[in-house]
Amino acid sequence: MTYDTIVKGGTVATAADTFRADIGIRDGKIAAIGLDLGEAAEIVDATGLLVLPGGIDSHVHISQPSGDGVTMADDFESATRSAAFGGMTTLLPFCLQRKGQSLRDAVTWYHGLAEGECYTDIAFHLIVTDPTPQALNQDLPALVEDGYTSVKVFMTYEGMKLTDRQILETLEAAKSCGALPMVHAENDDAIEYLRDRAMDRGDTAPKFHATTRPIPAEREATHRAISLAQIVDVPIMIVHVSNGDAISEIEAGRARGGTVHAETCPQYLVLTADDLDTTGFDGAKYVCSPPPRDTAEQAACWSGIERGVFDVFSSDHCPFRYDDSEGKKHPQGLKSFKWVPNGIPGVETSHPILFSEGVTKGRIGLNRFVALTSTNHAKMYGLYPRKGTIAVGSDADLTLWDPEREETIRQEILHHGADYTPYEGIRVKGWPVRTILRGRTVVADGELRAEKGVGAYQPRARSGEALTG
Ligand code: URP
Ligand code: ZN
Ligand code: ZN
């Protein structure tokens, strides 16, 4: 046989082009793109379907330690399973360094959890919470050399946030070894101040999570993060941008000559702070940071997507079960929004939401969708052109989409470990119907077709090499 598999009859789309072609796969790689490719052991009929590069989500949290008595709803098996059903072939979760822990130990710990468990390929970002000289000057450069080429810092969250001085030192270390810094930008002092006032008033319901993390707190921190990066003269990625003011800061930073990358997420396109404002505790299902804003800010984020401000679209999947004392209903969380575990599930629904709201509704073209959900992640994070495109020699990571298929997002059709979806009831048109990882079908016709362990760890090149290479 000439090929192991031919994906036949579909419409192929990359970040650049849309065209009719069949794809020949051999040994997990794309071996040919064309028509009349000949014979293969397996023919996948893609008639009427779109054939896109496998989806990539570069912002997911899996099995991340989340505080006393709190457990994340997904391990590597369930998160990658859910992602595969959502049309993804590669995830980039974080290795969170705990205070006192070495970065290397954090990485080793996550590898232990992921090994043999995954349905998608994975690569890891680092999170620095304890920027010791050892972490910044020894571990970080060695880990970057080994393929962990991006590092996130928090400007908020007790126990994880860095001071401006520590951020500068981390940015400098990242610059020296070519790691891409990612920043969670919210002003923690402002949030704490507002939170204390809210608590004093007895305002403890989930909706006060949103009111105590207002747009100016994100805007100011975005400005500060970009300024700190300018001082060090290093590129920066602002993750999970939620509003128009933060977008303006990013555009202003770029206008000053800074290399400022940006990411937004589905929660800022289809959820609002009103979702947190329910009677009872239901609003906890939407507690994430930054919080969803309002419809005007949704429009601002859409405008940012349409104008090309955002490089990548990620889920920020950070799942906790709702009806669970180790999740949203943690005994402390029930007392106040302040202790409700931060984060929402969304890896499986992220790309269908962007496809439906973006492509089907005519806000963005198919090629932009591919860039935002695959190609740009691969380029940004050093996986391109192995991942993120359909080209001869690239990994045969493909997602077949039925652009006509309509679904209503419901918890019962999803495959994550959470017991709810914040996107319940949202109607979408356009759905991933087959996910192929390095030539192997992982999901088809709503069923798992591969064993866990089919997904493997992928070391990465430096971002700059991928962006220019
Ligand atoms: O609420 C969120 N986003 N939780 C995940 C951690 C983070 O800030 O990315
Ligand atoms: Zn964050
Ligand atoms: Zn996150």
Side-chain angles (χ1 to χ4, degrees):
M1 288 292 170
T2 318
Y3 301 105
D4 302 325
T5 305
I6 294 177
V7 178
K8 199 175 172 65
T11 298
V12 176
T14 66
D17 299 302
T18 305
F19 52 96
R20 256 284 303 118
D22 303 338
I23 297 174
I25 299 170
R26 199 183 307 123
D27 298 332
K29 302 271 186 197
I30 295 174
I33 302 168
L35 298 174
D36 304 323
L37 293 182
E39 300 203 345
E42 176 194 37
I43 300 288
V44 172
D45 181 9
T47 307
L49 303 178
L50 300 172
V51 182
L52 310 187
I56 302 178
D57 191 335
S58 57
H59 190 149
V60 296
H61 303 265
I62 304 173
S63 290
Q64 191 167 293
S66 306
D68 281 349
V70 177
T71 306
M72 230 170 224
D74 273 320
D75 56 18
F76 281 84
E77 177 182 356
S78 60
T80 58
R81 181 184 63 211
S82 184
F85 276 95
M88 297 193 187
T89 51
T90 303
L91 297 186
L92 279 84
F94 294 90
C95 293
L96 171 76
Q97 174 204 27
R98 286 187 267 183
K99 281 249 159 54
Q101 188 183 33
S102 81
L103 274 178
R104 181 65 76 175
D105 280 355
V107 167
T108 305
W109 188 75
Y110 280 94
H111 271 287
L113 297 180
E115 183 66 37
E117 297 292 310
C118 294
Y119 290 98
T120 66
D121 282 349
I122 56 162
F124 287 112
H125 307 290
L126 309 170
I127 294 178
V128 169
T129 65
D130 200 358
T132 59
Q134 169 74 31
L136 296 187
N137 305 329
Q138 308 294 326
D139 293 353
L140 183 63
L143 286 164
V144 169
E145 223 27 70
D146 288 351
Y148 309 84
T149 55
S150 42
V151 56
K152 184 177 179 186
V153 297
F154 289 107
M155 299 173 91
T156 184
Y157 298 144
E158 196 54 50
M160 304 214 276
K161 67 185 173 194
L162 303 189
T163 64
D164 288 354
R165 167 84 189 221
Q166 291 173 319
I167 292 173
L168 284 163
E169 288 168 356
T170 306
L171 292 175
E172 186 186 19
K175 181 183 177 184
S176 318
C177 59
L180 178 68
M182 309 162 73
V183 181
H184 178 132
E186 287 185 289
N187 180 316
D188 197 63
D189 275 346
I191 291 164
E192 258 191 49
Y193 160 82
L194 291 169
R195 219 163 44 191
D196 288 349
R197 294 289 176 278
M199 295 288 278
D200 289 347
R201 288 193 302 270
D203 290 342
T204 56
K207 68 178 176 183
F208 296 108
H209 172 79
T211 58
T212 56
R213 304 184 90 98
I215 286 172
E218 185 181 340
R219 179 186 67 214
E220 184 280 329
T222 303
H223 180 90
R224 186 157 34 102
I226 293 169
S227 302
L228 298 178
Q230 188 181 11
I231 289 166
V232 175
D233 188 24
V234 64
I236 194 173
M237 162 64 80
I238 308 293
V239 295
H240 47 47
V241 174
S242 77
N243 68 86
D245 281 5
I247 291 171
S248 299
E249 292 296 344
I250 288 158
E251 291 183 297
R254 287 176 182 167
R256 285 191 293 267
T259 303
V260 184
H261 300 296
E263 169 198 83
T264 193
C265 314
Q267 49 270 41
Y268 308 120
L269 301 182
V270 297
L271 302 179
T272 69
D274 286 348
D275 289 308
L276 283 86
D277 187 2
T278 53
T279 49
F281 193 64
D282 256 30
K285 291 178 178 173
Y286 306 88
V287 166
C288 61
S289 301
R293 306 296 184 183
D294 60 21
T295 52
E297 302 307 332
Q298 287 181 349
C301 289
W302 275 116
S303 166
I305 287 178
E306 287 161 18
R307 289 182 292 116
V309 175
F310 291 110
D311 300 283
V312 289
F313 184 78
S314 304
S315 67
D316 194 6
H317 181 76
C318 185
F320 297 96
R321 288 172 54 80
Y322 173 68
D323 210 357
D324 194 317
S325 62
E326 292 187 14
K328 298 285 186 182
K329 288 190 175 172
H330 185 273
Q332 288 294 102
L334 287 170
K335 287 189 196 150
S336 166
F337 69 90
K338 182 174 170 178
W339 293 294
V340 172
N342 249 268
I344 58 177
V347 74
E348 192 168 345
T349 47
S350 173
H351 291 181
I353 287 172
L354 186 67
F355 190 101
S356 183
E357 291 294 316
V359 181
T360 306
K361 293 194 175 168
R363 290 176 166 123
I364 55 171
L366 185 57
N367 308 110
R368 174 66 66 79
F369 173 81
V370 172
L372 286 165
T373 57
S374 182
T375 311
N376 291 357
H377 298 262
K379 289 185 172 178
M380 190 68 61
Y381 295 111
L383 287 165
Y384 190 83
R386 187 166 22 124
K387 308 279 188 193
T389 193
I390 295 177
V392 171
S394 293
D395 282 357
D397 294 350
L398 303 171
T399 307
L400 275 50
W401 284 76
D402 181 348
E404 300 302 323
R405 177 152 159 193
E406 297 190 36
E407 284 287 349
T408 301
I409 293 175
R410 287 162 293 136
Q411 166 63 11
E412 68 201 63
I413 66 167
L414 301 180
H415 303 83
H416 55 197
D419 57 353
Y420 77 100
T421 166
Y423 304 107
E424 184 77 30
I426 292 182
R427 187 116 187 106
V428 293
K429 185 172 176 191
W431 196 257
V433 292
R434 184 184 284 257
T435 306
I436 299 174
L437 175 66
R438 285 180 279 104
R440 288 195 56 189
T441 292
V442 179
V443 170
D445 305 322
E447 282 175 13
L448 263 184
R449 295 283 180 84
E451 302 291 315
K452 69 178 184 178
V454 64
Y457 167 70
Q458 304 286 325
R460 296 182 284 124
R462 289 174 176 81
S463 171
E465 288 163 21
L467 286 169
T468 53

